[in-house]
Amino acid sequence: MLERLLQELDLHSVIHDALSVILLINCAIFITSCARHIYLAHRVPKYMQRVGIYRTSNLADQYDAKYDGDEETLPKSPIVIKALYIHPIKSCAPIELERAQLTKAGFAYDRCFALAVEAKTDEWQFISQRTKPQMARIKEELWLPGPGSKRGNVLVEAGGCLVVSFPDPDPAYPLQRLRTAFETWTLSAKPEVRFTVPLLPSPGHINQMKIQMRHFTIHSRQATGLDLGQLPGVAAAIPKLKRFLNIPARQNLTLIRCTPDTLVRTTRNLAPLDHIGTPAMHGYTDQQPVHIINLSSVHSVSQLLPTENQPLSALRFRANIYLTGPPAFSEETWKRYRILPSKAATIPTRVASTLSVVCRTSRCTMPNVNPDLGVFEHDNSRPDRKKGVPQPSTTLIEHRTVEDGNPAALGYMGMHCVPEDASLKEARDRNGEPYVEVGDEIEVLETGSHLYGSTGNDY
């Protein structure tokens, strides 16, 4: 009996010790979680709230077979906006939005920054994924003033900020890895470099920091903007950014911001002014303000690719609006369309926005960049070749050279559009600013043919 009592006491002692350990572990996890929450809260820009979708993307199911189909196989269904994206820094990773403000120059904050290098003395040139595919891994967060924001704060006066991050190119010390694991709750996470950029510095901030205007080239055209490279956060990050992008230490790199005064008119693929009102304006986009992609068209091209290059991500085409519903490539016949607010719209008083479709999007080598890895991709080499050919551009050239308007095009995919003044004015007269939301439907108003480079009424 005494032996049984001792055994029971030992069992109770073991259970007590086990419960004590579990309690201590839970307390440690709770304290660590609270400390992490406080630490991350201090990293949030003051008076700002983050805008965008940063968990489950609306394109999470983009590879689903339900988006396959041509005119014969795709059931008749509404044309719906599946996803919305902006790319604040030209050629860097996009920001997904649930709704986007539409302006004459496209979606607000889209391609309003550019990275540029000094190619020759005082001759600056923008850089993109064409030569720096790693730029696909430069991530961006959009933060706008929130409730209770106070005037006088630099970022509030700037209308918000971008938080930019990229993988740290330098070897990580154990303390850095520990901090990164603490921040991300992931042991395998690699350290990142982060910096904050005001969306549009106020005149006072420009004068205080002596920010100068900088001229640079985007392809063959001249562009101008505010040189933000001397802002403390940007200047501190540039040395590591140069190493990440494999830019020589001796070569200057900067970040440039376009302003309302430096927007330029488009000179090619012009829609009739009877429709659009005033000529299209844009910041650092290559062509027109708004770019649309039909998921069925992406699926159609994906099925033509070598097996090792499937499935094809729609994000490689860096559009603003991703659509579902229309048969593959039927969007190439659109001349004008109207975006109808959905019944579940967050702004019930929104009015429809009308856009003119001006041309097909001629593609370059950028769709060959894997947006997750930041590397150019090829197909598998054949016995008669030393290495594979770039994909999907090789397939686009073969199957999507559907016109000869741009001899330099590596195939055509997607359509360029211009917002029409009348609908923009109606929206402003009724409720302030025009917005487009995920779930809105598309009503095609006019159809016809397109030729890249045409102008005026022959668009």
Side-chain angles (χ1 to χ4, degrees):
M1 185 174 179
L2 180 60
E3 184 178 350
R4 183 186 303 173
L5 181 61
L6 290 173
Q7 288 177 347
E8 289 179 358
L9 287 173
D10 287 343
L11 179 61
H12 284 302
S13 177
V14 169
I15 293 174
H16 178 270
D17 290 345
L19 290 175
S20 298
V21 170
I22 292 172
L23 180 62
L24 286 173
I25 292 174
N26 285 334
C27 287
I29 292 173
F30 176 76
I31 293 171
T32 303
S33 180
C34 290
R36 177 177 178 270
H37 178 76
I38 294 171
Y39 171 76
L40 293 179
H42 281 291
R43 295 181 59 181
V44 173
K46 196 172 183 180
Y47 306 123
M48 298 287 118
Q49 59 184 6
R50 189 174 176 182
V51 177
I53 299 171
Y54 41 91
R55 289 186 176 88
T56 303
S57 167
N58 286 318
L59 287 181
D61 66 342
Q62 64 164 308
Y63 303 122
D64 196 299
K66 65 185 176 184
Y67 302 123
D68 293 347
D70 52 26
E71 195 74 57
E72 289 73 29
T73 61
L74 198 67
K76 188 71 174 177
S77 58
I79 304 172
V80 177
I81 293 179
K82 171 72 171 171
L84 296 168
Y85 283 82
I86 57 173
H87 309 74
I89 302 178
K90 184 177 177 66
S91 216
C92 292
I95 295 174
E96 184 175 4
L97 302 175
E98 198 65 40
R99 67 182 185 125
Q101 181 185 342
L102 185 64
T103 74
K104 186 68 176 184
F107 286 157
Y109 316 117
D110 185 47
R111 294 170 172 93
C112 55
F113 293 86
L115 288 167
V117 294
E118 191 173 21
K120 297 179 182 178
T121 303
D122 208 28
E123 290 185 14
W124 292 76
Q125 182 178 356
F126 94 111
I127 57 174
S128 73
Q129 291 180 34
R130 294 186 187 196
T131 57
K132 303 294 180 185
Q134 312 95 305
M135 290 178 69
R137 300 180 65 195
I138 300 177
K139 295 180 291 187
E140 306 168 79
E141 300 172 7
L142 177 62
W143 294 78
L144 300 180
S149 57
K150 296 183 179 180
R151 295 188 62 84
N153 177 275
V154 170
L155 298 184
V156 173
E157 295 291 333
C161 66
L162 279 184
V163 176
V164 184
S165 61
F166 57 92
D168 193 329
D170 299 330
Y173 296 104
L175 187 60
Q176 287 178 301
R177 289 192 176 278
L178 182 62
R179 186 182 67 181
T180 303
F182 180 68
E183 293 171 354
T184 62
W185 248 205
T186 306
L187 290 175
S188 60
K190 296 183 178 180
E192 291 186 329
V193 179
R194 292 169 61 91
F195 63 94
T196 300
V197 186
L199 273 182
L200 185 59
S202 65
H205 192 204
I206 291 172
N207 291 333
Q208 178 187 356
M209 298 303 299
K210 296 182 172 56
I211 298 173
Q212 302 294 318
M213 299 298 288
R214 173 75 64 191
H215 301 290
F216 67 110
T217 59
I218 298 179
H219 303 306
S220 59
R221 74 175 177 90
Q222 289 292 316
T224 306
L226 295 170
D227 186 342
L228 305 182
Q230 66 189 54
L231 294 180
V234 181
I238 278 180
K240 282 183 178 285
L241 184 56
K242 288 200 287 188
R243 289 195 289 277
F244 175 68
L245 296 175
N246 295 321
I247 295 172
R250 66 180 181 277
Q251 188 172 31
N252 290 323
L253 171 70
T254 195
L255 180 66
I256 300 176
R257 171 56 155 106
C258 74
T259 68
D261 294 333
T262 59
L263 295 175
V264 297
R265 290 185 175 185
T266 55
T267 57
R268 303 179 66 186
N269 299 303
L270 307 179
L273 295 184
D274 289 346
H275 291 163
I276 63 174
T278 56
M281 304 289 291
H282 67 117
Y284 297 154
T285 59
D286 288 346
Q287 298 179 42
Q288 303 290 344
V290 178
H291 181 210
I292 63 173
I293 283 284
N294 176 8
L295 279 192
S296 291
S297 302
V298 177
H299 278 231
S300 180
V301 171
S302 183
Q303 292 164 5
L304 298 171
L305 291 171
T307 305
E308 63 269 21
N309 298 112
Q310 297 180 17
L312 177 63
S313 172
L315 290 174
R316 290 181 182 238
F317 298 101
R318 303 179 61 77
N320 299 116
I321 301 176
Y322 292 88
L323 306 172
T324 61
F329 308 115
S330 63
E331 68 277 11
E332 296 186 353
T333 66
W334 299 357
K335 287 289 196 175
R336 299 175 69 220
Y337 64 90
R338 181 183 293 129
I339 301 177
L340 304 173
S342 70
K343 295 179 181 178
T346 58
I347 305 177
T349 57
R350 276 196 304 127
V351 300
S353 298
T354 305
L355 293 89
S356 287
V357 185
V358 294
C359 65
R360 294 181 180 88
T361 306
S362 62
R363 308 313 316 195
C364 62
T365 58
M366 279 180 53
N368 297 331
V369 177
N370 183 311
D372 297 320
L373 303 178
V375 296
F376 285 113
E377 289 193 333
H378 302 74
D379 59 18
N380 292 339
S381 61
R382 298 197 312 244
D384 60 331
R385 293 195 307 238
K386 290 185 178 180
K387 67 175 183 178
V389 296
Q391 292 291 0
S393 63
T394 299
T395 298
L396 289 171
I397 292 170
E398 181 179 357
H399 296 279
R400 292 297 305 152
T401 304
V402 293
E403 61 160 276
D404 58 3
N406 181 5
L410 303 182
Y412 294 84
M413 190 74 172
M415 303 299 289
H416 279 298
C417 315
V418 177
E420 298 186 2
D421 288 357
S423 63
L424 296 178
K425 182 179 184 302
E426 181 184 1
R428 293 191 183 101
D429 289 345
R430 289 185 57 176
N431 51 39
E433 296 294 341
Y435 282 87
V436 175
E437 292 190 5
V438 171
D440 287 352
E441 292 191 11
I442 301 291
E443 177 189 10
V444 180
L445 302 176
E446 294 181 21
T447 59
S449 59
H450 286 280
L451 177 64
Y452 185 95
S454 55
T455 61
N457 290 321
D458 182 27
Y459 74 112

